Amino acid sequence: MPERRPPLRLVDPELPPSPGVADALRAAGPRVHLLAASVLIDAGALDAAWEPLEEAARDAHDPLVREELGLLLLRLARGWEDRRRREAARAALRLAAQLAPRRAVPVLARHLQQEGAWDEALALWARAIELDPGEADHHLHHGRLLEARGRHGEAHAAYLRLVETLPTARSALTVAPRLERLAGQLPPAPGTATRIAMLGSATLDQLRDCLMVQAHRAGLRPRIHLGTPDQYELEIADGDSGLHRFGAEVVILAVHRSRLFPELERLPCRVPASEFREVILPGLDRVRSLLGAFRSHSSARVLLHNMVVPQLPASGTVEADELGLRDAFHHVNLLLARLTHTEFGDVHLVDEDAVQGRCGKAGATDPRLWLAAGMPWSESVLMPLAQEHVRHLLAARGDRARSCLVVGLDNTLWRGRVAEDGAGGVELGARAPGNAFQLFQHQLDLLRTSGVRLAICSKADRDAAVALLETHPDMLLRLGDFAATRIGCASKPAGVREIAAELGIGLDSVVFWDDSPEERAQMRAELPQVLTPEVPADPARHRQALVDLAVFDSIDRRERR
Amino acid sequence: MTEHGRRRPEGAGGGDVSLDAQVCQVIAASFDLDDDNLPVPASRETIPEWTSRSHMMLVLNLEAHFAVTFSLEQIVDMTSAAAIAVVLSRIGAPVQEG
């Protein structure tokens, strides 16, 4: 509370108290108090402004009035802070936090943090995140304070939550050095360490940070060696280079097509087919000798970026010709795939062309960042590209890839509730929205045929659900396609636990996919080892969300069975 | 500007957070620093964390915070908090309410 509360004085601070005016103001309602307080704050009569604000707060029920009051209290608190009246400022901030929590809670948290009231500040930062989860600063303040208090595990989780909430490259670039710093202070986690080297023809720093973050999100704790831009040939050839001394398990090689296939960049608009092949061959030989040189020093897994097929044709409409630059690089990518598959063990292609295609090639490079800092990838590409690396990392590790997908039934495999709507009442088929569920089933079937085990965990009525699964003409999946089922179960976490036991797999091999936010929250709370992703509310987006999950990759899927 | 390199809000009790103060907040957040303890003046010379690599991070954060897009020349010119404020003023960046 403020140190003293002088009576209300609207105009001249020297005037004697005027209880008559104060009473009149009280009767006039909160709007008048707001006006009075605003005038008083502007005039520098901060103590006098407190009373009408406090008075108005007692009866302020209108959300707009409460917000306005809160903002005035923030101004008042700032004024008191300028006069080093910390206690008075705190009282104003506490009241503001009740009236306009979204604006005032972070300010109060910051104030208390400066005062050394760590626990209360932490609770308030957590509250600020609840109120405004999309505000990166709240997450960062929360994480930094946890880190400063030595609560490293919680700080690590707080930074990751920021990236989960705002999965942008900017979040990743902010969080990466903090995760890296914290990783060394966390308790050892067997099986999470991995050593990655990154080499390329341009600045890879930002991609490195995104990879660091994506790897942490996937439960890995990598150490990453970054090569000098455009020095990859020297580093690979020199057995005593920093690259080889680092002893990487995985080496990422991201070289631009202009370095590996300079002849193609100079390709005239029309070239005979024979010349076209000749122009490609030197580039392939360059890749072959690069990989050969690397293999002579290291047996590490290599993730080689394929070539991004140019988006803008160099020669306009002539590019429609089958010998255009785009066709040339499509052909190059096929040949690279064959080369790595047939001539080199443990060299895998990272499909950067597809990643850029998904993100939009037109915006894949920000020309300003390229020219100012040699950054080859714009924000839109960095995180998806790093995720592509992590897919390879997880696939190679086998133990970390998920092998079982547990799904619900109602509103997951079909629209509606079979117990209430009946088999003929649920929506599934060629027409929308039933076709969205059919598409989702198709994706499940693709996963099943590639070795992922499907299972059902549902509270739906068992008889009705089984009848639908077996007889509905538009079902793409049948009961026999599921390796285990718990239909009509009372608790989904219990059902998933039983499914894992029946299949002889760990819970950390399981992905739980359910349309109900409550079921997902319960699963995350009771079985955190199970991966429970968010499911879009719109079924039209279910299939893509499942594809984007990208946790079922494996170098050799047959190993799963 | 005050001795801390930031313009204080006008009037007793203050109003909106000034452009300079917001620039300093973004600089601090970009380099993982406490904005109450930024060096004076805040510039590439005085902040070791302000490298060519992290400069791009700052640029992206400034663009997001002020809802603007900088040109290549502006990106190159923004070597201090004061220089950033000048660029932002020239392009009429909106100042957020504090």
Side-chain angles (χ1 to χ4, degrees):
Chain A
M1 298 293 287
E3 289 161 12
R4 59 192 171 86
R5 289 196 214 161
L8 184 64
R9 285 169 292 183
L10 272 182
V11 181
D12 185 349
E14 299 306 316
L15 283 177
S18 177
V21 174
D23 290 343
L25 285 171
R26 265 186 208 106
R31 285 267 170 220
V32 176
H33 293 91
L34 289 177
L35 183 62
S38 181
V39 171
L40 289 165
I41 292 172
D42 284 344
L46 303 184
D47 287 350
W50 169 255
E51 186 167 343
L53 286 174
E54 195 186 30
E55 183 70 34
R58 286 198 190 103
D59 300 318
H61 303 295
D62 180 339
L64 290 176
V65 172
R66 290 173 69 83
E67 182 76 14
E68 215 171 319
L69 263 169
L71 295 182
L72 277 173
L73 283 160
L74 284 177
R75 284 179 57 198
L76 180 62
R78 201 180 301 150
W80 268 328
E81 287 207 357
D82 281 350
R83 296 179 187 183
R84 305 193 185 286
R85 300 267 305 278
R86 303 281 294 175
E87 230 174 282
R90 198 175 316 132
L93 289 176
R94 286 192 191 283
L95 187 54
Q98 292 171 27
L99 295 161
R102 201 166 168 211
R103 298 291 291 272
V105 164
V107 184
L108 177 59
R110 198 181 171 89
H111 175 97
L112 291 170
Q113 192 172 326
Q114 287 166 350
E115 296 288 311
W118 315 117
D119 290 341
E120 195 179 354
L122 278 172
L124 283 166
W125 282 124
R127 173 82 181 124
I129 291 167
E130 272 176 34
L131 292 165
D132 198 354
E135 180 51 71
D137 273 355
H138 299 347
H139 293 272
L140 291 173
H141 276 291
H142 190 221
R144 280 179 72 177
L145 186 51
L146 284 166
E147 203 178 337
R149 304 305 299 154
R151 292 159 68 171
H152 299 132
E154 292 170 82
H156 186 264
Y159 293 139
L160 285 182
R161 262 198 305 279
L162 165 59
V163 183
E164 297 300 333
T165 311
L166 298 165
T168 63
R170 199 173 312 133
S171 301
L173 298 180
T174 305
V175 158
R178 300 162 202 234
L179 292 178
E180 197 170 5
R181 189 169 63 214
L182 282 167
Q185 293 164 342
L186 296 174
T192 61
T194 183
R195 298 170 76 83
I196 304 166
M198 300 178 78
L199 305 175
S201 51
T203 305
L204 298 177
D205 299 71
Q206 290 76 19
L207 184 59
R208 172 199 183 278
D209 281 357
C210 290
L211 175 58
M212 177 66 70
V213 169
Q214 296 287 40
H216 273 261
R217 288 175 81 186
L220 300 174
R221 293 186 197 161
R223 283 192 61 198
I224 301 179
H225 166 87
L226 205 56
T228 308
D230 232 1
Q231 299 297 308
Y232 55 92
E233 285 174 300
L234 290 174
E235 290 197 60
I236 284 174
D238 179 4
D240 197 36
S241 68
L243 164 70
H244 294 298
R245 285 200 308 273
F246 177 70
E249 297 159 53
V250 178
V251 173
I252 293 168
L253 197 50
V255 184
H256 193 263
R257 60 172 184 261
S258 60
R259 294 288 192 278
L260 293 175
F261 295 89
E263 298 84 358
L264 275 173
E265 295 283 301
R266 296 193 292 268
L267 193 69
C269 58
R270 282 182 182 279
V271 181
S274 55
E275 271 186 50
F276 170 67
R277 289 193 192 90
E278 281 172 18
V279 172
I280 287 177
L281 288 177
L284 278 180
D285 284 342
R286 217 167 274 125
V287 175
R288 184 180 284 113
S289 71
L290 203 58
L291 293 174
F294 182 77
R295 271 288 166 265
S296 67
H297 295 295
S298 170
S299 60
R301 177 183 306 271
V302 177
L303 303 182
L304 173 68
H305 282 218
N306 71 359
M307 301 299 107
V308 176
V309 177
Q311 189 230 354
L312 295 172
S315 326
T317 52
V318 176
E319 286 293 324
D321 188 289
E322 64 175 5
L323 301 180
L325 201 56
R326 284 176 300 184
D327 277 350
F329 275 105
H330 279 303
H331 196 61
V332 162
N333 282 339
L334 288 173
L335 293 175
L336 281 177
R338 191 178 302 160
L339 174 78
T340 54
H341 186 69
T342 57
E343 297 184 33
F344 294 96
D346 228 3
V347 177
H348 304 271
L349 280 188
V350 173
D351 196 350
E352 185 188 341
D353 184 58
V355 172
Q356 286 207 13
R358 286 199 297 273
C359 301
K361 286 185 181 177
T365 298
D366 182 331
R368 303 167 312 150
L369 303 186
W370 168 245
L371 293 169
M375 278 174 62
W377 297 287
S378 67
E379 277 193 279
S380 63
V381 175
L382 284 167
M383 285 293 266
L385 192 51
Q387 180 58 23
E388 196 70 10
H389 292 148
V390 170
R391 286 182 71 163
H392 281 273
L393 294 176
L394 292 178
R397 295 173 69 90
D399 58 324
R400 297 215 150 243
R402 306 275 168 162
S403 61
C404 174
L405 175 59
V406 181
V407 296
L409 291 175
D410 290 338
N411 292 316
T412 298
L413 294 193
W414 52 74
R415 160 72 85 200
R417 300 194 174 281
V418 64
E420 296 154 24
D421 304 327
V426 301
E427 291 180 275
L428 178 67
R431 291 173 53 191
N435 52 3
F437 294 88
Q438 228 179 20
L439 265 178
F440 184 71
Q441 287 196 25
H442 178 67
Q443 191 60 37
L444 291 180
D445 200 35
L446 284 177
L447 286 174
R448 185 186 66 81
T449 52
S450 70
V452 174
R453 285 191 279 189
L454 303 179
I456 295 171
C457 185
S458 168
K459 292 179 177 175
D461 176 76
R462 180 172 176 80
D463 292 342
V466 168
L468 195 155
L469 278 162
E470 292 293 56
T471 61
H472 196 291
D474 293 315
M475 280 291 298
L476 299 183
L477 295 167
R478 296 295 180 193
L479 195 60
D481 293 323
F482 295 90
T485 61
R486 292 294 181 277
I487 304 176
C489 62
S491 157
K492 293 201 176 181
V496 165
R497 201 181 273 120
E498 288 172 15
I499 287 169
E502 181 180 329
L503 298 179
I505 57 176
L507 288 168
D508 57 2
S509 296
V510 177
V511 175
F512 175 69
W513 183 280
D514 198 284
D515 70 296
S516 160
E518 292 77 24
E519 296 289 0
R520 296 197 297 268
Q522 191 185 359
M523 187 63 68
R524 289 188 191 115
E526 291 191 30
L527 300 179
Q529 313 94 310
V530 171
L531 176 64
T532 304
E534 279 303 291
V535 174
D538 185 348
R541 302 188 186 283
H542 285 184
R543 178 181 169 276
Q544 191 58 48
L546 183 60
V547 171
D548 290 344
L549 204 53
V551 293
F552 298 109
D553 301 296
S554 173
I555 295 296
D556 183 356
R557 295 182 191 284
R558 287 166 301 177
E559 289 172 357
R560 284 213 189 96
R561 294 183 180 275
Chain B
M1 302 278 275
T2 68
E3 61 178 329
H4 300 293
R6 267 159 277 177
R7 198 186 305 133
R8 298 302 298 174
E10 291 171 5
D16 294 345
V17 177
S18 71
L19 178 65
D20 296 336
Q22 288 185 51
V23 168
C24 286
Q25 283 170 7
V26 178
I27 289 174
S30 300
F31 304 142
D32 198 10
L33 301 169
D34 184 350
D35 59 319
D36 288 329
N37 295 317
L38 275 188
V40 182
S43 72
R44 289 186 76 151
E45 282 71 39
T46 59
I47 301 176
E49 291 83 356
W50 194 334
T51 62
S52 54
R53 171 189 165 194
S54 60
H55 182 64
M56 289 302 128
M57 176 76 190
L58 172 63
V59 169
L60 296 173
N61 284 340
L62 287 166
E63 288 188 336
H65 184 89
F66 292 101
V68 295
T69 302
F70 299 118
S71 69
L72 179 62
E73 287 182 339
Q74 287 165 339
I75 290 173
V76 174
D77 285 346
M78 294 192 299
T79 54
S80 68
I84 292 168
V86 168
V87 169
L88 285 167
S89 300
R90 279 192 191 140
I91 59 180
V95 179
Q96 318 289 314
E97 281 187 10

